[in-house]
mmCIF file with all atom_site columns, all heavy atoms in Angstrom:
data_model
loop_
_atom_site.group_PDB
_atom_site.id
_atom_site.type_symbol
_atom_site.label_atom_id
_atom_site.label_alt_id
_atom_site.label_comp_id
_atom_site.label_asym_id
_atom_site.label_entity_id
_atom_site.label_seq_id
_atom_site.pdbx_PDB_ins_code
_atom_site.Cartn_x
_atom_site.Cartn_y
_atom_site.Cartn_z
_atom_site.occupancy
_atom_site.B_iso_or_equiv
_atom_site.pdbx_formal_charge
_atom_site.auth_seq_id
_atom_site.auth_comp_id
_atom_site.auth_asym_id
_atom_site.auth_atom_id
_atom_site.pdbx_PDB_model_num
ATOM 1   N N   . MET A 1 1   ? -19.505 3.253  1.549  1.00 0.00 ? 1   MET A N   1
ATOM 2   C CA  . MET A 1 1   ? -18.272 2.503  1.260  1.00 0.00 ? 1   MET A CA  1
ATOM 3   C C   . MET A 1 1   ? -17.138 3.452  0.908  1.00 0.00 ? 1   MET A C   1
ATOM 4   O O   . MET A 1 1   ? -17.340 4.459  0.260  1.00 0.00 ? 1   MET A O   1
ATOM 5   C CB  . MET A 1 1   ? -18.501 1.541  0.094  1.00 0.00 ? 1   MET A CB  1
ATOM 6   C CG  . MET A 1 1   ? -19.290 0.321  0.493  1.00 0.00 ? 1   MET A CG  1
ATOM 7   S SD  . MET A 1 1   ? -18.374 -0.677 1.680  1.00 0.00 ? 1   MET A SD  1
ATOM 8   C CE  . MET A 1 1   ? -19.723 -1.611 2.375  1.00 0.00 ? 1   MET A CE  1
ATOM 9   N N   . GLU A 1 2   ? -15.964 3.088  1.329  1.00 0.00 ? 2   GLU A N   1
ATOM 10  C CA  . GLU A 1 2   ? -14.781 3.913  1.079  1.00 0.00 ? 2   GLU A CA  1
ATOM 11  C C   . GLU A 1 2   ? -13.724 3.035  0.415  1.00 0.00 ? 2   GLU A C   1
ATOM 12  O O   . GLU A 1 2   ? -13.727 1.822  0.598  1.00 0.00 ? 2   GLU A O   1
ATOM 13  C CB  . GLU A 1 2   ? -14.272 4.422  2.429  1.00 0.00 ? 2   GLU A CB  1
ATOM 14  C CG  . GLU A 1 2   ? -13.220 5.503  2.356  1.00 0.00 ? 2   GLU A CG  1
ATOM 15  C CD  . GLU A 1 2   ? -12.967 6.075  3.745  1.00 0.00 ? 2   GLU A CD  1
ATOM 16  O OE1 . GLU A 1 2   ? -12.359 5.365  4.564  1.00 0.00 ? 2   GLU A OE1 1
ATOM 17  O OE2 . GLU A 1 2   ? -13.371 7.227  4.002  1.00 0.00 ? 2   GLU A OE2 1
ATOM 18  N N   . GLN A 1 3   ? -12.855 3.693  -0.341 1.00 0.00 ? 3   GLN A N   1
ATOM 19  C CA  . GLN A 1 3   ? -11.776 2.955  -1.007 1.00 0.00 ? 3   GLN A CA  1
ATOM 20  C C   . GLN A 1 3   ? -10.431 3.434  -0.498 1.00 0.00 ? 3   GLN A C   1
ATOM 21  O O   . GLN A 1 3   ? -10.287 4.577  -0.075 1.00 0.00 ? 3   GLN A O   1
ATOM 22  C CB  . GLN A 1 3   ? -11.871 3.183  -2.520 1.00 0.00 ? 3   GLN A CB  1
ATOM 23  C CG  . GLN A 1 3   ? -13.139 2.576  -3.083 1.00 0.00 ? 3   GLN A CG  1
ATOM 24  C CD  . GLN A 1 3   ? -13.575 3.181  -4.381 1.00 0.00 ? 3   GLN A CD  1
ATOM 25  O OE1 . GLN A 1 3   ? -12.977 4.136  -4.875 1.00 0.00 ? 3   GLN A OE1 1
ATOM 26  N NE2 . GLN A 1 3   ? -14.641 2.643  -4.938 1.00 0.00 ? 3   GLN A NE2 1
ATOM 27  N N   . THR A 1 4   ? -9.459  2.532  -0.542 1.00 0.00 ? 4   THR A N   1
ATOM 28  C CA  . THR A 1 4   ? -8.100  2.920  -0.177 1.00 0.00 ? 4   THR A CA  1
ATOM 29  C C   . THR A 1 4   ? -7.110  2.059  -0.944 1.00 0.00 ? 4   THR A C   1
ATOM 30  O O   . THR A 1 4   ? -7.496  1.134  -1.660 1.00 0.00 ? 4   THR A O   1
ATOM 31  C CB  . THR A 1 4   ? -7.873  2.853  1.347  1.00 0.00 ? 4   THR A CB  1
ATOM 32  O OG1 . THR A 1 4   ? -6.625  3.473  1.661  1.00 0.00 ? 4   THR A OG1 1
ATOM 33  C CG2 . THR A 1 4   ? -7.901  1.422  1.872  1.00 0.00 ? 4   THR A CG2 1
ATOM 34  N N   . GLU A 1 28  ? -10.375 -9.898 6.301  1.00 0.00 ? 28  GLU A N   1
ATOM 35  C CA  . GLU A 1 28  ? -10.880 -8.717 7.013  1.00 0.00 ? 28  GLU A CA  1
ATOM 36  C C   . GLU A 1 28  ? -12.154 -8.169 6.377  1.00 0.00 ? 28  GLU A C   1
ATOM 37  O O   . GLU A 1 28  ? -12.731 -7.205 6.865  1.00 0.00 ? 28  GLU A O   1
ATOM 38  C CB  . GLU A 1 28  ? -9.815  -7.622 7.048  1.00 0.00 ? 28  GLU A CB  1
ATOM 39  C CG  . GLU A 1 28  ? -8.560  -7.990 7.829  1.00 0.00 ? 28  GLU A CG  1
ATOM 40  C CD  . GLU A 1 28  ? -8.744  -8.014 9.338  1.00 0.00 ? 28  GLU A CD  1
ATOM 41  O OE1 . GLU A 1 28  ? -9.806  -7.564 9.815  1.00 0.00 ? 28  GLU A OE1 1
ATOM 42  O OE2 . GLU A 1 28  ? -7.823  -8.479 10.035 1.00 0.00 ? 28  GLU A OE2 1
ATOM 43  N N   . GLY A 1 29  ? -12.552 -8.736 5.257  1.00 0.00 ? 29  GLY A N   1
ATOM 44  C CA  . GLY A 1 29  ? -13.829 -8.357 4.648  1.00 0.00 ? 29  GLY A CA  1
ATOM 45  C C   . GLY A 1 29  ? -13.753 -7.311 3.553  1.00 0.00 ? 29  GLY A C   1
ATOM 46  O O   . GLY A 1 29  ? -14.785 -6.918 3.001  1.00 0.00 ? 29  GLY A O   1
ATOM 47  N N   . PHE A 1 30  ? -12.551 -6.851 3.227  1.00 0.00 ? 30  PHE A N   1
ATOM 48  C CA  . PHE A 1 30  ? -12.434 -5.867 2.138  1.00 0.00 ? 30  PHE A CA  1
ATOM 49  C C   . PHE A 1 30  ? -12.749 -6.524 0.798  1.00 0.00 ? 30  PHE A C   1
ATOM 50  O O   . PHE A 1 30  ? -12.453 -7.701 0.594  1.00 0.00 ? 30  PHE A O   1
ATOM 51  C CB  . PHE A 1 30  ? -11.007 -5.306 2.058  1.00 0.00 ? 30  PHE A CB  1
ATOM 52  C CG  . PHE A 1 30  ? -10.618 -4.430 3.211  1.00 0.00 ? 30  PHE A CG  1
ATOM 53  C CD1 . PHE A 1 30  ? -9.773  -4.896 4.209  1.00 0.00 ? 30  PHE A CD1 1
ATOM 54  C CD2 . PHE A 1 30  ? -11.093 -3.129 3.297  1.00 0.00 ? 30  PHE A CD2 1
ATOM 55  C CE1 . PHE A 1 30  ? -9.409  -4.085 5.270  1.00 0.00 ? 30  PHE A CE1 1
ATOM 56  C CE2 . PHE A 1 30  ? -10.731 -2.311 4.355  1.00 0.00 ? 30  PHE A CE2 1
ATOM 57  C CZ  . PHE A 1 30  ? -9.892  -2.794 5.341  1.00 0.00 ? 30  PHE A CZ  1
ATOM 58  N N   . ASP A 1 31  ? -13.315 -5.726 -0.119 1.00 0.00 ? 31  ASP A N   1
ATOM 59  C CA  . ASP A 1 31  ? -13.438 -6.157 -1.507 1.00 0.00 ? 31  ASP A CA  1
ATOM 60  C C   . ASP A 1 31  ? -12.229 -5.624 -2.265 1.00 0.00 ? 31  ASP A C   1
ATOM 61  O O   . ASP A 1 31  ? -11.904 -4.444 -2.169 1.00 0.00 ? 31  ASP A O   1
ATOM 62  C CB  . ASP A 1 31  ? -14.720 -5.587 -2.148 1.00 0.00 ? 31  ASP A CB  1
ATOM 63  C CG  . ASP A 1 31  ? -15.967 -6.238 -1.579 1.00 0.00 ? 31  ASP A CG  1
ATOM 64  O OD1 . ASP A 1 31  ? -15.938 -7.457 -1.326 1.00 0.00 ? 31  ASP A OD1 1
ATOM 65  O OD2 . ASP A 1 31  ? -16.970 -5.529 -1.378 1.00 0.00 ? 31  ASP A OD2 1
ATOM 66  N N   . ILE A 1 32  ? -11.588 -6.489 -3.022 1.00 0.00 ? 32  ILE A N   1
ATOM 67  C CA  . ILE A 1 32  ? -10.475 -6.057 -3.884 1.00 0.00 ? 32  ILE A CA  1
ATOM 68  C C   . ILE A 1 32  ? -11.092 -5.609 -5.199 1.00 0.00 ? 32  ILE A C   1
ATOM 69  O O   . ILE A 1 32  ? -11.733 -6.415 -5.881 1.00 0.00 ? 32  ILE A O   1
ATOM 70  C CB  . ILE A 1 32  ? -9.488  -7.215 -4.116 1.00 0.00 ? 32  ILE A CB  1
ATOM 71  C CG1 . ILE A 1 32  ? -8.840  -7.631 -2.789 1.00 0.00 ? 32  ILE A CG1 1
ATOM 72  C CG2 . ILE A 1 32  ? -8.426  -6.808 -5.148 1.00 0.00 ? 32  ILE A CG2 1
ATOM 73  C CD1 . ILE A 1 32  ? -8.083  -8.953 -2.865 1.00 0.00 ? 32  ILE A CD1 1
ATOM 74  N N   . ILE A 1 33  ? -10.908 -4.326 -5.552 1.00 0.00 ? 33  ILE A N   1
ATOM 75  C CA  . ILE A 1 33  ? -11.550 -3.864 -6.791 1.00 0.00 ? 33  ILE A CA  1
ATOM 76  C C   . ILE A 1 33  ? -10.555 -3.554 -7.911 1.00 0.00 ? 33  ILE A C   1
ATOM 77  O O   . ILE A 1 33  ? -10.943 -3.410 -9.060 1.00 0.00 ? 33  ILE A O   1
ATOM 78  C CB  . ILE A 1 33  ? -12.543 -2.709 -6.540 1.00 0.00 ? 33  ILE A CB  1
ATOM 79  C CG1 . ILE A 1 33  ? -11.860 -1.458 -6.032 1.00 0.00 ? 33  ILE A CG1 1
ATOM 80  C CG2 . ILE A 1 33  ? -13.640 -3.140 -5.557 1.00 0.00 ? 33  ILE A CG2 1
ATOM 81  C CD1 . ILE A 1 33  ? -12.799 -0.249 -6.084 1.00 0.00 ? 33  ILE A CD1 1
ATOM 82  N N   . VAL A 1 74  ? -6.475  -1.738 -4.865 1.00 0.00 ? 74  VAL A N   1
ATOM 83  C CA  . VAL A 1 74  ? -7.515  -0.835 -4.396 1.00 0.00 ? 74  VAL A CA  1
ATOM 84  C C   . VAL A 1 74  ? -8.524  -1.709 -3.665 1.00 0.00 ? 74  VAL A C   1
ATOM 85  O O   . VAL A 1 74  ? -9.033  -2.683 -4.228 1.00 0.00 ? 74  VAL A O   1
ATOM 86  C CB  . VAL A 1 74  ? -8.207  -0.089 -5.549 1.00 0.00 ? 74  VAL A CB  1
ATOM 87  C CG1 . VAL A 1 74  ? -9.326  0.816  -5.006 1.00 0.00 ? 74  VAL A CG1 1
ATOM 88  C CG2 . VAL A 1 74  ? -7.197  0.750  -6.331 1.00 0.00 ? 74  VAL A CG2 1
ATOM 89  N N   . VAL A 1 75  ? -8.739  -1.396 -2.401 1.00 0.00 ? 75  VAL A N   1
ATOM 90  C CA  . VAL A 1 75  ? -9.682  -2.184 -1.604 1.00 0.00 ? 75  VAL A CA  1
ATOM 91  C C   . VAL A 1 75  ? -10.816 -1.291 -1.131 1.00 0.00 ? 75  VAL A C   1
ATOM 92  O O   . VAL A 1 75  ? -10.634 -0.088 -0.916 1.00 0.00 ? 75  VAL A O   1
ATOM 93  C CB  . VAL A 1 75  ? -8.995  -2.895 -0.422 1.00 0.00 ? 75  VAL A CB  1
ATOM 94  C CG1 . VAL A 1 75  ? -7.896  -3.821 -0.910 1.00 0.00 ? 75  VAL A CG1 1
ATOM 95  C CG2 . VAL A 1 75  ? -8.467  -1.913 0.604  1.00 0.00 ? 75  VAL A CG2 1
ATOM 96  N N   . GLU A 1 76  ? -11.967 -1.902 -0.999 1.00 0.00 ? 76  GLU A N   1
ATOM 97  C CA  . GLU A 1 76  ? -13.168 -1.145 -0.646 1.00 0.00 ? 76  GLU A CA  1
ATOM 98  C C   . GLU A 1 76  ? -13.824 -1.767 0.582  1.00 0.00 ? 76  GLU A C   1
ATOM 99  O O   . GLU A 1 76  ? -13.853 -2.993 0.729  1.00 0.00 ? 76  GLU A O   1
ATOM 100 C CB  . GLU A 1 76  ? -14.134 -1.183 -1.842 1.00 0.00 ? 76  GLU A CB  1
ATOM 101 C CG  . GLU A 1 76  ? -15.361 -0.325 -1.651 1.00 0.00 ? 76  GLU A CG  1
ATOM 102 C CD  . GLU A 1 76  ? -16.217 -0.291 -2.915 1.00 0.00 ? 76  GLU A CD  1
ATOM 103 O OE1 . GLU A 1 76  ? -15.956 0.575  -3.769 1.00 0.00 ? 76  GLU A OE1 1
ATOM 104 O OE2 . GLU A 1 76  ? -17.110 -1.131 -3.050 1.00 0.00 ? 76  GLU A OE2 1
ATOM 105 N N   . GLY A 1 77  ? -14.350 -0.906 1.436  1.00 0.00 ? 77  GLY A N   1
ATOM 106 C CA  . GLY A 1 77  ? -15.062 -1.380 2.624  1.00 0.00 ? 77  GLY A CA  1
ATOM 107 C C   . GLY A 1 77  ? -15.485 -0.186 3.453  1.00 0.00 ? 77  GLY A C   1
ATOM 108 O O   . GLY A 1 77  ? -15.156 0.958  3.135  1.00 0.00 ? 77  GLY A O   1
ATOM 109 N N   . LYS A 1 78  ? -16.193 -0.459 4.533  1.00 0.00 ? 78  LYS A N   1
ATOM 110 C CA  . LYS A 1 78  ? -16.626 0.611  5.421  1.00 0.00 ? 78  LYS A CA  1
ATOM 111 C C   . LYS A 1 78  ? -15.388 1.180  6.129  1.00 0.00 ? 78  LYS A C   1
ATOM 112 O O   . LYS A 1 78  ? -14.574 0.400  6.641  1.00 0.00 ? 78  LYS A O   1
ATOM 113 C CB  . LYS A 1 78  ? -17.625 0.046  6.439  1.00 0.00 ? 78  LYS A CB  1
ATOM 114 C CG  . LYS A 1 78  ? -18.414 1.093  7.177  1.00 0.00 ? 78  LYS A CG  1
ATOM 115 C CD  . LYS A 1 78  ? -19.544 0.415  7.977  1.00 0.00 ? 78  LYS A CD  1
ATOM 116 C CE  . LYS A 1 78  ? -20.423 1.410  8.687  1.00 0.00 ? 78  LYS A CE  1
ATOM 117 N NZ  . LYS A 1 78  ? -19.726 2.377  9.530  1.00 0.00 ? 78  LYS A NZ  1
ATOM 118 N N   . ASP A 1 79  ? -15.269 2.511  6.163  1.00 0.00 ? 79  ASP A N   1
ATOM 119 C CA  . ASP A 1 79  ? -14.122 3.163  6.820  1.00 0.00 ? 79  ASP A CA  1
ATOM 120 C C   . ASP A 1 79  ? -12.783 2.544  6.391  1.00 0.00 ? 79  ASP A C   1
ATOM 121 O O   . ASP A 1 79  ? -11.899 2.289  7.221  1.00 0.00 ? 79  ASP A O   1
ATOM 122 C CB  . ASP A 1 79  ? -14.243 3.080  8.350  1.00 0.00 ? 79  ASP A CB  1
ATOM 123 C CG  . ASP A 1 79  ? -15.544 3.680  8.857  1.00 0.00 ? 79  ASP A CG  1
ATOM 124 O OD1 . ASP A 1 79  ? -15.957 4.717  8.298  1.00 0.00 ? 79  ASP A OD1 1
ATOM 125 O OD2 . ASP A 1 79  ? -16.155 3.110  9.785  1.00 0.00 ? 79  ASP A OD2 1
ATOM 126 N N   . ALA A 1 80  ? -12.661 2.295  5.090  1.00 0.00 ? 80  ALA A N   1
ATOM 127 C CA  . ALA A 1 80  ? -11.509 1.526  4.583  1.00 0.00 ? 80  ALA A CA  1
ATOM 128 C C   . ALA A 1 80  ? -10.163 2.180  4.911  1.00 0.00 ? 80  ALA A C   1
ATOM 129 O O   . ALA A 1 80  ? -9.219  1.481  5.279  1.00 0.00 ? 80  ALA A O   1
ATOM 130 C CB  . ALA A 1 80  ? -11.648 1.321  3.077  1.00 0.00 ? 80  ALA A CB  1
ATOM 131 N N   . VAL A 1 81  ? -10.058 3.502  4.789  1.00 0.00 ? 81  VAL A N   1
ATOM 132 C CA  . VAL A 1 81  ? -8.759  4.158  5.005  1.00 0.00 ? 81  VAL A CA  1
ATOM 133 C C   . VAL A 1 81  ? -8.268  3.889  6.430  1.00 0.00 ? 81  VAL A C   1
ATOM 134 O O   . VAL A 1 81  ? -7.157  3.382  6.642  1.00 0.00 ? 81  VAL A O   1
ATOM 135 C CB  . VAL A 1 81  ? -8.827  5.676  4.722  1.00 0.00 ? 81  VAL A CB  1
ATOM 136 C CG1 . VAL A 1 81  ? -7.530  6.368  5.117  1.00 0.00 ? 81  VAL A CG1 1
ATOM 137 C CG2 . VAL A 1 81  ? -9.118  5.943  3.240  1.00 0.00 ? 81  VAL A CG2 1
ATOM 138 N N   . GLY A 1 82  ? -9.084  4.200  7.399  1.00 0.00 ? 82  GLY A N   1
ATOM 139 C CA  . GLY A 1 82  ? -8.689  4.051  8.804  1.00 0.00 ? 82  GLY A CA  1
ATOM 140 C C   . GLY A 1 82  ? -8.543  2.598  9.217  1.00 0.00 ? 82  GLY A C   1
ATOM 141 O O   . GLY A 1 82  ? -7.607  2.232  9.938  1.00 0.00 ? 82  GLY A O   1
ATOM 142 N N   . ARG A 1 83  ? -9.459  1.782  8.737  1.00 0.00 ? 83  ARG A N   1
ATOM 143 C CA  . ARG A 1 83  ? -9.436  0.372  9.133  1.00 0.00 ? 83  ARG A CA  1
ATOM 144 C C   . ARG A 1 83  ? -8.213  -0.333 8.547  1.00 0.00 ? 83  ARG A C   1
ATOM 145 O O   . ARG A 1 83  ? -7.568  -1.128 9.232  1.00 0.00 ? 83  ARG A O   1
ATOM 146 C CB  . ARG A 1 83  ? -10.735 -0.319 8.702  1.00 0.00 ? 83  ARG A CB  1
ATOM 147 C CG  . ARG A 1 83  ? -11.131 -1.458 9.619  1.00 0.00 ? 83  ARG A CG  1
ATOM 148 C CD  . ARG A 1 83  ? -12.627 -1.724 9.577  1.00 0.00 ? 83  ARG A CD  1
ATOM 149 N NE  . ARG A 1 83  ? -13.100 -1.981 8.242  1.00 0.00 ? 83  ARG A NE  1
ATOM 150 C CZ  . ARG A 1 83  ? -12.975 -3.175 7.625  1.00 0.00 ? 83  ARG A CZ  1
ATOM 151 N NH1 . ARG A 1 83  ? -12.416 -4.190 8.246  1.00 0.00 ? 83  ARG A NH1 1
ATOM 152 N NH2 . ARG A 1 83  ? -13.440 -3.334 6.412  1.00 0.00 ? 83  ARG A NH2 1
ATOM 153 N N   . LEU A 1 84  ? -7.877  -0.016 7.301  1.00 0.00 ? 84  LEU A N   1
ATOM 154 C CA  . LEU A 1 84  ? -6.682  -0.652 6.716  1.00 0.00 ? 84  LEU A CA  1
ATOM 155 C C   . LEU A 1 84  ? -5.419  -0.205 7.457  1.00 0.00 ? 84  LEU A C   1
ATOM 156 O O   . LEU A 1 84  ? -4.534  -1.020 7.726  1.00 0.00 ? 84  LEU A O   1
ATOM 157 C CB  . LEU A 1 84  ? -6.571  -0.362 5.217  1.00 0.00 ? 84  LEU A CB  1
ATOM 158 C CG  . LEU A 1 84  ? -5.414  -1.105 4.532  1.00 0.00 ? 84  LEU A CG  1
ATOM 159 C CD1 . LEU A 1 84  ? -5.627  -2.621 4.561  1.00 0.00 ? 84  LEU A CD1 1
ATOM 160 C CD2 . LEU A 1 84  ? -5.230  -0.632 3.093  1.00 0.00 ? 84  LEU A CD2 1
ATOM 161 N N   . LYS A 1 120 ? -7.994  9.970  2.450  1.00 0.00 ? 120 LYS A N   1
ATOM 162 C CA  . LYS A 1 120 ? -8.714  9.930  1.168  1.00 0.00 ? 120 LYS A CA  1
ATOM 163 C C   . LYS A 1 120 ? -7.940  10.678 0.086  1.00 0.00 ? 120 LYS A C   1
ATOM 164 O O   . LYS A 1 120 ? -7.849  10.234 -1.052 1.00 0.00 ? 120 LYS A O   1
ATOM 165 C CB  . LYS A 1 120 ? -10.062 10.641 1.359  1.00 0.00 ? 120 LYS A CB  1
ATOM 166 C CG  . LYS A 1 120 ? -11.274 9.791  1.027  1.00 0.00 ? 120 LYS A CG  1
ATOM 167 C CD  . LYS A 1 120 ? -12.546 10.620 1.254  1.00 0.00 ? 120 LYS A CD  1
ATOM 168 C CE  . LYS A 1 120 ? -13.613 10.206 0.277  1.00 0.00 ? 120 LYS A CE  1
ATOM 169 N NZ  . LYS A 1 120 ? -14.663 9.401  0.861  1.00 0.00 ? 120 LYS A NZ  1
ATOM 170 N N   . SER A 1 139 ? -16.618 1.384  -8.248 1.00 0.00 ? 139 SER A N   1
ATOM 171 C CA  . SER A 1 139 ? -16.693 0.458  -7.127 1.00 0.00 ? 139 SER A CA  1
ATOM 172 C C   . SER A 1 139 ? -16.936 -0.920 -7.695 1.00 0.00 ? 139 SER A C   1
ATOM 173 O O   . SER A 1 139 ? -16.826 -1.135 -8.898 1.00 0.00 ? 139 SER A O   1
ATOM 174 C CB  . SER A 1 139 ? -17.829 0.842  -6.178 1.00 0.00 ? 139 SER A CB  1
ATOM 175 O OG  . SER A 1 139 ? -19.057 0.457  -6.747 1.00 0.00 ? 139 SER A OG  1
ATOM 176 N N   . THR A 1 140 ? -17.255 -1.857 -6.829 1.00 0.00 ? 140 THR A N   1
ATOM 177 C CA  . THR A 1 140 ? -17.520 -3.214 -7.312 1.00 0.00 ? 140 THR A CA  1
ATOM 178 C C   . THR A 1 140 ? -18.703 -3.236 -8.279 1.00 0.00 ? 140 THR A C   1
ATOM 179 O O   . THR A 1 140 ? -18.832 -4.187 -9.038 1.00 0.00 ? 140 THR A O   1
ATOM 180 C CB  . THR A 1 140 ? -17.798 -4.161 -6.138 1.00 0.00 ? 140 THR A CB  1
ATOM 181 O OG1 . THR A 1 140 ? -18.694 -3.512 -5.254 1.00 0.00 ? 140 THR A OG1 1
ATOM 182 C CG2 . THR A 1 140 ? -16.521 -4.521 -5.420 1.00 0.00 ? 140 THR A CG2 1
#
Side-chain angles (χ1 to χ4, degrees):
M1 284 295 160
E2 191 171 72
Q3 294 158 356
T4 191
E28 296 287 350
F30 291 104
D31 290 322
I32 296 168
I33 65 167
V74 178
V75 301
E76 185 175 272
K78 195 170 183 307
D79 304 321
V81 173
R83 210 155 56 80
L84 185 65
K120 237 180 148 105
S139 76
T140 45

